[in-house]
Amino acid sequence: MRQLNCKIIENKKVAQRFYKMRIEAPYIARKAQAGQFVEVKCSCGTDPLLRRPLGVHRVLKNEIELLYKAVGRGTELLSKKEKGQALDVIGPLGDGFTLPGPPVSGPMPIILIAGGIGAAPLVALAESLAFSAKRIAYRKKQKTYVLIGAKTKSHILCESEFKKIGCEVKVSTEDGSKGKKCLATELLEDLLNIIRYPLNAAIYACGPVGMLKVVAKIAEWRKLPCQVSLEERMACGVGVCLGCPVKMKGNKYKMVCKDGPVFDAKEIAW
Ligand SMILES: Cc1cc2nc3c(=O)[nH]c(=O)nc-3n(C[C@H](O)[C@H](O)[C@H](O)COP(=O)(O)OP(=O)(O)OC[C@H]3O[C@@H](n4cnc5c(N)ncnc54)[C@H](O)[C@@H]3O)c2cc1C
Ligand code: FES
């Protein structure tokens, strides 16, 4: 992890309130794993004082991409930044996703489930899975499904990116404006019901905590491995301030920034 002064290559609006920023950051691009994040200083002064955590959306040769939603002071300021300006970034931080090992029996589909902006780090994961399929024989046989849930059609993120990577994408919206009118967790139930036995799939999820809780329950009931990426308000981002605790089973606490943001779903006290 390093603190770097990165050059902004591009910062563009991709949907209402959603932005994609590409920054020159060879060190982070070399080191980052899918699921890790960076802490971004959104202003040149002290307002806001704290950095904002953003997941690594894509890793390019010497650059990384961030996909973010402008929700408050920090991300609003970020959205105003222009190409050529400098951005103070610390990263890569945290523990990312662990790719699945060889399947015990039969092909093991990999299911990525995204709620809203939760799609951002899952693109990095899908790219990492596709990259490893070029080198690992069993990975070539592992089909990757992506289930995207959003409020409406215009809130669906990264559908074309996932398709370009070669994933099979299914979409749901709460208002039925695209895909099935349901929550993403219902798409997960549907998919698990049609995957042939022995049911053997690895699940990765990122999105609102309510969605993650249901995904964790489904995975536990079906005895499937499941990793979830949590979002918590953060300050230091490196495990020092103890400001981002998450309760684990056994009455223990872990820090989302240092021990996560990705956790084994069955370890969390939902
Ligand atoms: C590990 C990690 C990775 C993240 N990756 C992304 C990403 O890739 N793209 C993205 O758009 N966002 C991501 N987030 C959320 C992002 O950090 C917050 O949206 C951001 O910090 C808000 O800052 P702000 O100053 O704009 O809003 P604030 O003014 O601080 O808050 C505005 C609103 O957003 C809520 N909020 C603030 N921070 C969080 C948070 N961490 N989780 C949930 N709600 C929050 C506040 O409660 C408030 O309602 C991530 C968070 C974490 C912890
Ligand atoms: S943000 Fe300081 S411990 Fe996690």
Side-chain angles (χ1 to χ4, degrees), residues 234-244 255 257:
M234 287 183 183
C236 72
V238 290
V240 176
C241 72
L242 306 183
C244 60
M255 294 303 134
C257 66

Side-chain angles (χ1 to χ4, degrees), residues 82-93:
E82 287 177 8
K83 178 180 168 174
Q85 284 186 311
L87 189 73
D88 184 334
V89 173
I90 299 179
L93 294 166

Side-chain angles (χ1 to χ4, degrees), residues 195-246:
I195 293 177
R196 276 185 295 146
Y197 277 86
L199 184 51
N200 185 17
I203 302 173
Y204 294 85
C206 187
V209 70
M211 180 196 102
L212 298 182
K213 201 171 165 177
V214 177
V215 171
K217 223 181 223 175
I218 295 170
E220 190 172 12
W221 189 71
R222 304 223 187 207
K223 297 191 173 50
L224 297 173
C226 175
Q227 294 173 40
V228 295
S229 180
L230 298 183
E231 274 196 14
E232 192 51 69
R233 300 218 66 169
M234 287 183 183
C236 72
V238 290
V240 176
C241 72
L242 306 183
C244 60
V246 56

Side-chain angles (χ1 to χ4, degrees), residues 118-129:
L122 293 181
V123 169
L125 176 61
E127 285 190 330
S128 183
L129 287 163

Side-chain angles (χ1 to χ4, degrees), residues 91-163:
L93 294 166
D95 246 3
F97 294 107
T98 306
L99 302 192
V104 185
S105 62
M108 184 170 84
I110 298 170
I111 305 172
L112 277 45
I113 170 163
I117 189 68
L122 293 181
V123 169
L125 176 61
E127 285 190 330
S128 183
L129 287 163
F131 182 71
S132 78
K134 288 184 189 153
R135 294 170 299 137
I136 303 174
Y138 67 77
R139 185 87 68 222
K140 284 192 186 85
K141 296 182 195 150
Q142 288 179 317
K143 184 166 179 172
T144 303
Y145 294 89
V146 178
L147 313 177
I148 307 175
K151 276 197 170 70
T152 72
K153 187 179 169 179
S154 60
H155 291 90
I156 295 167
L157 292 172
C158 308
E159 186 182 3
S160 60
E161 283 91 333
F162 285 120
K163 282 184 176 162

Side-chain angles (χ1 to χ4, degrees), residues 35-38 53-58 64-67 120-121 231:
Q36 287 191 296
F37 67 97
V38 293
L54 293 176
V56 174
H57 170 54
R58 288 189 69 213
I64 60 161
E65 261 180 19
L66 308 171
L67 175 65
E231 274 196 14

